Amino acid sequence: MRRILSLLVALSTLFALAGCATKTRSDELTTTLKAYGSTLRWGDFRSAAQFIEPSRRAAHPLSQLDLARYQQVRVSEYDDGAGPVPSGEFDVQQTVLINLINVHTQSERSVVDHQTWHYDEKTKHWWLTSGLPDITQD
């Protein structure tokens, strides 16, 4: 009986710690998504690139052409709609509607950004794995 009781105490402690970890991870996700959204709302695509997972960022750095394209638009709206949807234990997906204004023509258009975020347990950080929004889509 004593053995069962100690096992129950150990399991409840484990579940409590797991719950705390999940809450912390969720809070970190909220903070990261708000910071990323704010960075894009201000049109700071160079800073937004810092949210991209480091190995992906190193393998696919922003080109001068990419930077020039991002400088030709201003973000007029960033609508994250329903927010992130879990797609695994350490992954979430989020679909965002971004309205862009061409600084030369003042025409506005919308792009849909399908974001994938991954939580790195080692660094305790959420990283964007899908890259910056593709503003060349029609």
Side-chain angles (χ1 to χ4, degrees), residues 2-138:
R2 191 177 303 167
R3 189 173 205 185
I4 292 173
L5 187 57
S6 18
L7 180 61
L8 287 174
V9 169
L11 284 175
S12 64
T13 302
L14 179 65
F15 287 136
L17 289 174
C20 289
T22 301
K23 170 92 170 96
T24 301
R25 193 168 58 229
S26 177
D27 291 346
E28 297 256 341
L29 174 63
T30 300
T31 301
T32 300
L33 292 179
K34 283 183 180 181
Y36 179 74
S38 178
T39 302
L40 279 187
R41 281 182 186 95
W42 282 102
D44 190 356
F45 290 94
R46 188 180 297 266
S47 293
Q50 299 307 307
F51 288 84
I52 298 173
E53 193 271 324
S55 63
R56 178 171 165 59
R57 190 172 58 230
H60 306 285
L62 287 177
S63 69
Q64 290 301 321
L65 179 60
D66 292 332
L67 291 172
R69 283 184 177 140
Y70 288 129
Q71 289 175 348
Q72 291 179 5
V73 297
R74 295 291 173 252
V75 175
S76 62
E77 185 176 357
Y78 181 91
D79 183 4
D80 54 11
V85 176
S87 60
E89 185 177 1
F90 300 107
D91 298 294
V92 297
Q93 293 184 338
Q94 176 171 256
T95 300
V96 177
L97 179 67
I98 303 171
N99 290 344
L100 303 168
I101 299 174
N102 183 304
V103 296
H104 302 291
T105 64
Q106 294 302 301
S107 61
E108 185 174 27
R109 63 190 178 90
S110 299
V111 295
V112 177
D113 184 25
H114 298 283
Q115 301 170 359
T116 303
W117 293 85
H118 176 75
Y119 184 73
D120 183 353
E121 283 191 295
K122 184 178 177 183
T123 63
K124 306 286 189 223
H125 192 82
W126 284 95
W127 294 106
L128 180 63
T129 59
S130 54
L132 293 179
D134 176 10
I135 63 168
T136 63
Q137 58 183 294
D138 289 331

